[in-house]
Amino acid sequence: MSKVYLDNAATTRMHDEVIDVMVKGMKINFGNPSSTHFFGRESKAAIENVRKVIARLTGVSSAEIIFTSCGTEANNLILRSCVEYLNVKRIITTRIEHSCVQETVNSLEENQHIRIDYVRINEKGEIDLTHLEELLQNSDEKTLVSIMHGNNEIANLNPIIEIGNLAREHQALFHSDMVQTLGHYEINLEELPLDFASSSAHKYHGPKGVGFAYIKKSTALKAQITGGGQERNLRSGTENLHGILGMGKAFEMAIDHLEDKTSYVSNLKAYAISKLSEAVPNIRFNGLSENPEKSLFAVLSISLPFKDDLIGFELELRGIAVSQGSACQSGAVQKSRVLTEIYPQEFINSTTPLRISFSKYNSEKDIDTLVTALSEIAQKHSK
Ligand code: PLP
């Protein structure tokens, strides 16, 4: 049975070219980048070269790119350090952020007594900018706005320029979790009204366990992980050199082939929307994920009009991998926090959500396989 992978928002298959760069680096660059001898200096130069590439491709200076172990760490570094070192007393965010932001603000509220305010969102998951402005007007405390760019579950693209401009008007800092958009869109970080952003290599065909934080120089943030002072004293620990090399190659490849990839993958998504609409009566596309202008081009979130707790298993038997709600650490499927936030309980209890996410390695044939399976399952439920 051939297998179909349609869970690219969870992680992507690495490009062969990325693996080649990493393997070469493992053979050649084994020196500790902090060592002052020749081997160390070569490793250090390899890291700095990737920093330059990423800085150039995102329009910022090299000093503003800090390598981390993942997107989760980048978000933790930014949120926690803003509280610890920049005197932030209040965070304005949404209830549909990735759990690494949600859980971190929960912890800051509980342990550091930071005030957390949630911006209202509507039933499509859209942010109420008027409410954001009201919240920003209502405080003299040092405030950080933390709102993601692309939502990993319902695919909404948030208006980060408007959000950042509002934050600036009210002297608030602005952080955006850009894990689903950096490496997928051409983004000039310098031109955005933004102080901090996060990225993760495994979302754009790079290796797992490596990412970066964008930290605007003027913000003077400090480290959460202390020790040897690596990463300009912002993140100690011997660098994941080979991961960083892979991330550099993956980022370059993502940007080099961006237009072709975007149009190929967007067409796959449009094809999936049209085929699913025909094959599954009353299917619902969640959030803005059906809207090509306002959603991630590689992510489609659907709700099937019946409850089927075994759907993951049924699709697995047919060799199809998609995402159901959010998988917790144990691998068990939990109800989607994001969908529960925007939809009434009766809808959640009577439907089955799935997230389908595409990459350049997918074809229309993969979508046909999924649509046939979902059509058969839907027919079984209509009897
Ligand atoms: N933020 C978003 C929006 C994500 O989709 C993810 C990963 O699913 C993360 C953060 C966490 O990234 P990482 O897996 O690199 O920790």
Side-chain angles (χ1 to χ4, degrees):
M1 180 174 59
S2 64
K3 289 193 178 141
V4 172
Y5 184 74
L6 286 166
D7 197 12
N8 291 280
T11 197
T12 51
R13 165 182 157 182
M14 279 167 70
H15 290 314
D16 288 347
E17 294 88 332
V18 169
I19 298 171
D20 291 346
V21 164
M22 290 176 73
V23 170
K24 191 170 160 215
M26 284 175 191
K27 289 181 181 165
I28 299 171
N29 299 116
F30 61 85
N32 185 326
S34 296
S35 297
T36 52
H37 50 61
F38 177 78
F39 294 94
R41 290 201 309 276
E42 277 219 323
S43 291
K44 179 89 180 148
I47 290 178
E48 292 314 311
N49 190 39
V50 173
R51 202 186 310 279
K52 271 191 211 137
V53 168
I54 291 181
R56 177 171 51 78
L57 295 173
T58 53
V60 299
S61 81
S62 294
E64 295 176 309
I65 299 294
I66 304 302
F67 296 134
T68 61
S69 67
C70 56
T72 298
E73 188 197 325
N75 284 330
N76 267 265
L77 165 64
I78 293 161
L79 293 164
R80 291 181 186 280
S81 296
C82 277
V83 168
E84 196 170 343
Y85 299 107
L86 300 188
N87 202 28
V88 163
K89 299 281 182 229
R90 180 189 188 210
I91 297 176
I92 300 176
T93 185
T94 75
R95 290 198 188 272
I96 57 172
E97 299 299 306
H98 187 271
S99 54
C100 67
V101 169
Q102 176 73 64
E103 291 302 320
T104 306
V105 300
N106 287 350
S107 143
L108 290 168
E109 182 177 34
E110 204 177 307
N111 303 316
Q112 312 285 332
H113 311 296
I114 298 305
R115 179 168 147 202
I116 310 296
D117 284 310
Y118 292 96
V119 189
R120 267 198 301 267
I121 43 172
N122 67 14
E123 69 295 339
K124 290 255 168 214
E126 288 173 292
I127 286 159
D128 182 341
L129 292 175
T130 311
H131 186 225
L132 173 61
E133 188 160 20
E134 277 165 31
L135 289 172
L136 282 162
Q137 278 162 349
N138 251 335
S139 168
D140 322 318
E141 289 167 322
K142 179 96 180 168
T143 298
L144 170 72
V145 176
S146 177
I147 296 181
M148 71 202 316
H149 188 193
N151 187 287
N152 51 299
E153 280 198 46
I154 52 174
N156 288 18
L157 275 172
N158 288 324
I160 53 169
I161 297 182
E162 283 92 328
I163 295 169
N165 284 339
L166 282 175
R168 289 249 158 113
E169 271 170 40
H170 296 88
Q171 290 78 47
L173 293 162
F174 179 35
H175 158 240
S176 188
D177 172 347
M178 298 181 110
V179 164
Q180 292 288 345
T181 52
L182 277 165
H184 289 263
Y185 294 83
E186 194 154 356
I187 293 175
N188 185 312
L189 292 168
E190 176 65 33
E191 286 172 0
L192 290 173
L194 186 71
D195 300 289
F196 312 105
S198 49
S199 173
S200 179
H202 72 102
K203 305 291 184 182
Y204 47 87
H205 306 285
K208 292 163 189 50
V210 61
F212 66 86
Y214 160 64
I215 297 178
K216 209 176 189 57
K217 237 186 300 179
S218 53
T219 57
L221 218 64
K222 289 191 188 162
Q224 285 297 309
I225 300 179
T226 48
Q230 289 90 342
E231 292 300 300
R232 293 174 172 74
N233 238 337
L234 269 158
R235 198 270 182 190
S236 285
T238 301
E239 299 87 338
N240 173 6
L241 167 59
H242 309 114
I244 291 169
L245 292 178
M247 174 164 68
K249 182 68 184 172
F251 205 86
E252 249 181 328
M253 287 182 70
I255 302 298
D256 269 0
H257 298 90
L258 197 55
E259 264 176 40
D260 294 349
K261 189 186 77 173
T262 307
S263 97
Y264 178 75
V265 177
S266 304
N267 286 339
L268 283 182
K269 178 171 162 177
Y271 180 76
I273 291 174
S274 127
K275 291 285 166 187
L276 284 166
S277 305
E278 281 167 27
V280 184
N282 301 321
I283 188 171
R284 177 138 163 196
F285 298 102
N286 300 320
L288 297 171
S289 76
E290 195 184 0
N291 181 328
E293 270 87 47
K294 292 190 172 177
S295 68
L296 294 165
F297 65 83
V299 183
L300 180 63
S301 172
I302 63 172
S303 284
L304 300 166
F306 48 83
K307 191 84 200 146
D308 188 343
D309 290 334
L310 294 176
I311 196 143
F313 180 64
E314 293 172 76
L315 292 174
E316 174 118 12
L317 285 178
R318 293 168 161 91
I320 302 165
V322 292
S323 168
Q324 293 173 268
S326 44
C328 70
Q329 222 191 359
S330 66
V333 176
Q334 299 173 319
K335 263 194 194 153
S336 158
R337 180 173 51 79
V338 173
L339 294 181
T340 306
E341 214 39 71
I342 62 174
Y343 289 148
Q345 202 52 46
E346 314 88 76
F347 181 81
I348 301 286
N349 291 341
S350 59
T351 54
T352 305
L354 290 178
R355 181 187 66 187
I356 307 158
S357 45
F358 316 93
S359 84
K360 69 169 234 173
Y361 292 112
N362 290 119
S363 65
E364 287 187 355
K365 199 165 151 256
D366 295 337
I367 293 161
D368 292 340
T369 308
L370 173 72
V371 171
T372 305
L374 291 180
S375 167
E376 283 169 17
I377 294 169
Q379 276 167 31
K380 198 179 72 191
H381 281 274
S382 70
K383 280 178 192 153

